[in-house]
Amino acid sequence: MENSNGSSEYGFILVGFSDRPKLELVLFIVNFILYTVAVLGNSTIILVCILDSRLHTPMYFFLANLSFLDLCFSTSCIPQMLVNLWGPDKTISYAGCVVQLFSFLSVGSIECILLAVMAYDRYAAVCKPLHYLVIMHPQLCLRLVAVAWGSGLVNAIVMSPLTMTLPRCGRLRINHFLCEMPALIKMACVDARAVEMLAFTFAILIVLLPLVLILLSYGYITAAVLKIKSAAGRWKAFNTCSSHLTVVSLFYGSIIYMYMQPGNSSSQDQGKFLTLFYNLVTPMLNPLIYTLRNKEVKGALKKVLGRQQ
């Protein structure tokens, strides 16, 4: 039995990579390993940021939030994808699809804005070092994180119902491995240009605007670093920001390509792999980037693991 908008009591069929059965087992193994690393890495970052008092600073408060979002981001769809890759069953319930879409939209949006907040934090640390703790006081940090969460939730609250209630005339096959907004919009049997344009408008506000703020912050940071006379001082300032800049490049590079195109004109296969990249590879790399390049985090890890001498 189908309801009015074209979903069934069994939900939807996630096509995923079923057109390439030989690839599914390889993807299952690779994605299972990457997801395990992502969960362990981000959980460890959160743990050390909570347990080590030396990391109770604005930078690590934001980093712990980023790790939590990465955990939610990957967990919103990777377990379901692994189930679908493992066996012949490719279905997802209607409720599961709604939860997945809402989680994906909200967490992705929150992370975009949080990365801009972290860029402002790095700007304050490099350009206003003597006033850093005054500028980035705990109340401001909480407010900035609240703005990020609030904005992301608004995006999901608006776009999720609009996307899910589009008439689909019995179409149940989602040509993706998750209930992603562009793939769901493409299934509509009515003109969905208004929904696409609203999604594009939200993308400008939630993706492009934070990116502009990030670029402005790093423009000021670059100018400040160039004024530092000593090579050691310049390297220290660069090292302070390099991890965050790497994470921003990985996340925004893929997500802008996917969502800042009206109608999502990229090829379907390319879209699947790009989604997999920013939904799994980036969350897996983020803890490694921050751990390998950060002496304070490595020191905290040693202390938590009982290896501090």
Side-chain angles (χ1 to χ4, degrees):
M1 180 183 292
E2 294 180 1
N3 64 26
S4 59
N5 74 347
S7 66
S8 73
E9 59 181 320
Y10 300 108
F12 297 97
I13 298 170
L14 294 171
V15 174
F17 302 95
S18 57
D19 56 336
R20 301 179 182 181
K22 293 182 179 178
L23 183 63
E24 286 193 312
L25 179 58
V26 175
L27 283 173
F28 176 87
I29 296 170
V30 172
N31 291 335
F32 179 78
I33 293 171
L34 294 181
Y35 178 64
T36 302
V37 173
V39 170
L40 291 174
N42 285 293
S43 299
T44 301
I45 291 290
I46 295 169
L47 187 65
V48 297
C49 287
I50 292 173
L51 295 180
D52 195 316
S53 59
R54 294 174 300 177
L55 301 186
H56 292 175
T57 64
M59 175 181 173
Y60 296 106
F61 171 69
F62 297 134
L63 178 57
N65 273 271
L66 179 65
S67 292
F68 177 73
L69 289 171
D70 281 341
L71 271 176
C72 296
F73 207 30
S74 293
T75 303
S76 68
C77 76
I78 298 302
Q80 177 70 52
M81 185 186 71
L82 291 174
V83 170
N84 292 345
L85 285 172
W86 181 252
D89 184 13
K90 310 297 181 185
T91 60
I92 182 172
S93 68
Y94 183 83
C97 192
V98 171
V99 170
Q100 197 174 77
L101 175 64
F102 186 89
S103 302
F104 200 73
L105 281 175
S106 58
V107 173
S109 303
I110 295 166
E111 187 157 337
C112 285
I113 299 170
L114 183 65
L115 288 171
V117 170
M118 294 175 75
Y120 176 72
D121 174 69
R122 293 301 83 208
Y123 158 78
V126 174
C127 300
K128 309 284 184 181
L130 298 179
H131 301 93
Y132 174 68
L133 293 178
V134 175
I135 296 171
M136 301 303 297
H137 54 84
Q139 291 80 6
L140 178 62
C141 294
L142 288 171
R143 288 171 192 160
L144 290 172
V145 169
V147 168
W149 277 83
S151 302
L153 289 173
V154 167
N155 178 41
I157 288 169
V158 173
M159 293 309 305
S160 295
L162 287 176
T163 302
M164 293 304 297
T165 54
L166 284 170
R168 297 183 180 86
C169 304
R171 298 171 185 172
L172 304 176
R173 294 172 64 85
I174 302 174
N175 193 14
H176 216 299
F177 62 83
L178 78 159
C179 291
E180 193 192 36
M181 184 171 62
L184 288 165
I185 291 175
K186 280 185 177 182
M187 292 169 61
C189 58
V190 296
D191 187 351
R193 281 180 293 182
V195 177
E196 287 181 340
M197 289 310 299
L198 182 59
F200 185 67
T201 302
F202 267 111
I204 292 174
L205 295 174
I206 290 176
V207 179
L208 190 59
L209 184 57
L211 179 60
V212 170
L213 295 175
I214 290 171
L215 294 176
L216 281 174
S217 296
Y218 277 100
Y220 283 111
I221 289 170
T222 301
V225 169
L226 292 175
K227 292 179 182 178
I228 299 174
K229 295 180 180 180
S230 70
R234 284 196 298 270
W235 174 252
K236 183 179 179 181
F238 170 77
N239 203 41
T240 299
C241 304
S242 59
S243 297
H244 178 254
L245 196 55
T246 303
V247 169
V248 167
S249 301
L250 287 171
F251 184 80
Y252 270 97
S254 55
I255 207 168
I256 285 176
Y257 190 84
M258 280 290 295
Y259 288 101
M260 292 306 294
Q261 304 177 70
N264 195 35
S265 60
S266 59
S267 73
Q268 292 172 341
D269 282 345
Q270 189 180 47
K272 292 176 189 177
F273 283 105
L274 275 172
T275 304
L276 194 58
F277 182 84
Y278 70 74
N279 195 51
L280 181 58
V281 178
T282 301
M284 183 272 296
L285 288 175
N286 286 356
L288 297 176
I289 291 169
Y290 279 104
T291 302
L292 295 175
R293 301 182 64 90
N294 192 302
K295 291 181 180 179
E296 290 177 319
V297 175
K298 286 190 284 188
L301 271 172
K302 290 178 181 179
K303 182 179 178 182
V304 170
L305 295 174
R307 294 198 296 233
Q308 184 79 11
Q309 295 182 356

